[in-house]
Amino acid sequence: MKEILLINISGADRPGVTSAITSILAQYEANVLDIGQAVIHDNLTLGLLVEIPPAFESSPVLKDILLKAHELEMQVKFQPITEESYGHWVGQQGKDRHIITLLSRKITAEQIAEVTTVAMTHGLNIDNISRLSGRVELDHESDQTKACVEFSARGTSSDLAELRSAFMELSGRLEADIAFQEDNAFRRNRRLVCFDMDSTLIEAEVIDELAKAAGVGDQVIEITEAAMRGELDFKESFARRMALLKGLDESVLAEIAERLPVTEGAERLISTLRKLGYKTAILSGGFNYFGKYLQQKLGIDYVYANDLDIVDGKVTGEVSGVVVDGARKAELLRELAEKENLSLEQVIAVGDGANDLPMLSIAGLGIAFRAKPLVKAEAKQSISNLGLDGILYLIGFRDRDVI
């Protein structure tokens, strides 16, 4: 008869607790079947599932651990585990595993209650919860505060579409972003991130800014918004907007580039990705002039966008070369993945408009960023409440990991 014990120790955190308890178990040649430790606000919780060999009895083990726990001013609980119960637990390891990421400006009890209820309702069991964001002072208030909690869950949902729909409903109601991903080797092994530019890397639509300078702002903005909602074919809308820019003086390009507002978190995200060895790319239906400007400013590896046709210092209202529309973005993403010798599963794509959906759909991680409802509904994941550096949480990075 095998003796299996679950040992739970809790109390004020201090150095040497784990060492002291496992040293006692070592004297009895115990096998550690599972172990977990967490510290919350300087309070330690340590759990060990151990097998006591037949050559020893559990009574002296319990006595020695109780004495050591008392000496350390810790509380201890013991629970015998049957072989049947242990066998059932082992059998759970083949189940599908998922990661649920909750992102918000602050994490509330209501958000956690709702997320875990949805998970439970759809047959998932939460077995680990971790805070990925850094500690925030109580009196620290900022519209750029970040908070993130990651849930590790196991189980198989009978209806993934319904589960994702439930999380999307929660996202809108609770002012939070909720990502649901399969927990596999690719999640922390992405190597290429492809960004849309306008309203993604920058908080502006460049063509709208050009239109304002040309005195046709309202007309172009109306067409742009219809295209982003998916109401107009991109190439058609692009041609109509470009025609309205005919005669614009080339000198305004530099002025507009210098005042483009970079999106919250973009610089932190891209500098971190670069230091970690990721490649980055801009795949934009906008213009190369501004893409190259951002490339120099942010340190991006690749830029693919449209070339403004300029003759005698004036915009002609046309572009040269192949127009970068949604299909072209997806094609470029595939080409870059092949060039970098990566699978599509190792690629992240980020965009906000309907013309980004083709690349979002083929990337291993497609993220709709502050996107229109149509795009959010069709993308695998979405971020609407944090900045671009919230993407780091989706690939498992903690704030303390960021260089």
Side-chain angles (χ1 to χ4, degrees):
M1 184 73 174
K2 297 182 184 296
E3 281 197 277
I4 302 171
L5 290 174
L6 176 61
I7 305 169
N8 285 297
I9 296 168
S10 61
D13 185 32
R14 66 188 69 201
V17 174
T18 305
S19 173
I21 299 302
T22 53
S23 293
I24 292 171
L25 291 170
Q27 296 172 20
Y28 295 94
E29 300 178 8
N31 297 319
V32 177
L33 305 174
D34 196 16
I35 184 170
Q37 179 174 304
V39 177
I40 299 178
H41 195 61
D42 296 328
N43 192 82
L44 170 74
T45 301
L46 170 65
L48 298 111
L49 185 65
V50 300
E51 178 192 9
I52 309 300
F56 299 93
E57 293 185 357
S58 60
S59 296
V61 180
L62 303 184
K63 177 183 176 183
D64 288 352
I65 290 178
L66 276 169
L67 288 172
K68 179 57 69 174
H70 179 73
E71 179 185 323
L72 295 170
E73 299 181 336
M74 307 288 283
Q75 297 178 338
V76 61
K77 292 182 179 179
F78 301 101
Q79 180 183 343
I81 303 297
T82 65
E83 289 188 48
E84 180 183 7
S85 175
Y86 178 75
H88 176 74
W89 175 76
V90 170
Q92 301 295 306
Q93 66 185 339
K95 287 193 172 183
D96 295 339
R97 301 196 64 82
H98 305 278
I99 294 293
I100 304 167
T101 313
L102 171 64
L103 307 94
S104 186
R105 293 299 179 183
K106 61 180 179 180
I107 300 298
T108 68
E110 181 185 15
Q111 291 168 343
I112 293 176
E114 296 270 20
V115 167
T116 52
T117 297
V118 167
M120 176 190 66
T121 302
H122 286 81
L124 302 180
N125 183 56
I126 306 292
D127 59 12
N128 188 59
I129 304 174
S130 301
R131 173 174 53 85
L132 302 188
S133 51
R135 300 174 184 177
V136 179
E137 297 178 9
L138 286 176
D139 58 355
H140 178 76
E141 292 188 9
S142 169
D143 60 1
Q144 295 195 354
T145 299
K146 301 184 297 293
C148 178
V149 173
E150 180 184 274
F151 305 82
S152 177
R154 66 174 183 270
T156 303
S157 172
S158 59
D159 191 333
L160 282 176
E162 185 178 326
L163 172 61
R164 291 184 184 277
S165 177
F167 280 144
M168 181 173 290
E169 188 275 332
L170 286 185
S171 294
R173 181 158 53 84
L174 300 177
E175 296 184 347
D177 298 311
I178 303 168
F180 179 74
Q181 305 176 66
E182 182 182 352
D183 190 8
N184 57 31
F186 291 114
R187 195 177 73 90
R188 288 185 64 100
N189 193 34
R190 318 287 187 190
R191 307 309 305 164
L192 169 66
V193 187
C194 297
F195 298 94
D196 173 46
M197 180 172 65
D198 298 52
S199 296
T200 299
L201 275 179
I202 55 174
E203 294 178 334
E205 291 285 332
V206 169
I207 199 166
D208 294 348
E209 299 305 309
L210 292 171
K212 292 173 188 176
V216 291
D218 291 343
Q219 294 167 263
V220 168
I221 288 173
E222 185 178 342
I223 298 171
T224 299
E225 290 180 349
M228 291 299 99
R229 291 193 300 266
E231 296 171 5
L232 286 176
D233 171 77
F234 179 81
K235 284 186 176 179
E236 176 192 351
S237 69
F238 186 66
R240 287 169 57 182
R241 287 177 287 173
M242 284 301 303
L244 291 168
L245 300 180
K246 185 176 181 179
L248 180 65
D249 196 279
E250 180 183 14
S251 63
V252 304
L253 302 185
E255 298 172 13
I256 290 173
E258 289 175 4
R259 65 172 187 260
L260 288 176
V262 175
T263 300
E264 174 197 347
E267 294 178 82
R268 178 173 182 263
L269 170 64
I270 292 171
S271 66
T272 300
L273 292 173
R274 187 170 64 249
K275 291 170 184 174
L276 293 171
Y278 285 67
K279 294 291 185 179
T280 54
I282 290 175
L283 307 182
S284 173
F287 305 108
N288 258 321
Y289 181 94
F290 302 97
K292 297 291 185 183
Y293 178 87
L294 285 173
Q295 181 178 35
Q296 293 299 315
K297 184 171 184 174
L298 300 176
I300 290 170
D301 297 291
Y302 302 103
V303 175
Y304 294 92
N306 298 301
D307 287 312
L308 271 172
D309 190 41
I310 298 174
V311 176
D312 297 329
K314 301 290 183 180
V315 173
T316 67
E318 297 180 356
V319 295
S320 56
V322 179
V323 173
V324 180
D325 60 0
R328 180 62 178 152
K329 287 186 179 188
E331 183 182 347
L332 288 166
L333 185 147
R334 289 183 186 276
E335 290 176 4
L336 284 174
E338 186 174 349
K339 180 176 181 178
E340 294 292 336
N341 196 29
L342 301 172
S343 72
L344 290 177
E345 280 286 348
Q346 294 176 278
V347 181
I348 299 171
V350 190
D352 72 297
N355 64 319
D356 295 312
L357 283 171
M359 73 171 181
L360 298 185
S361 67
I362 64 171
L365 179 59
I367 303 169
F369 180 74
R370 298 182 180 174
K372 307 297 184 291
L374 168 70
V375 183
K376 287 180 65 174
E378 294 195 26
K380 297 172 185 174
Q381 312 295 344
S382 68
I383 293 178
S384 298
N385 294 281
L386 299 188
L388 276 172
D389 51 350
I391 291 170
L392 292 169
Y393 296 136
L394 298 195
I395 53 180
F397 284 94
R398 300 172 184 268
D399 281 351
R400 68 178 184 229
D401 296 331
V402 176
I403 302 170

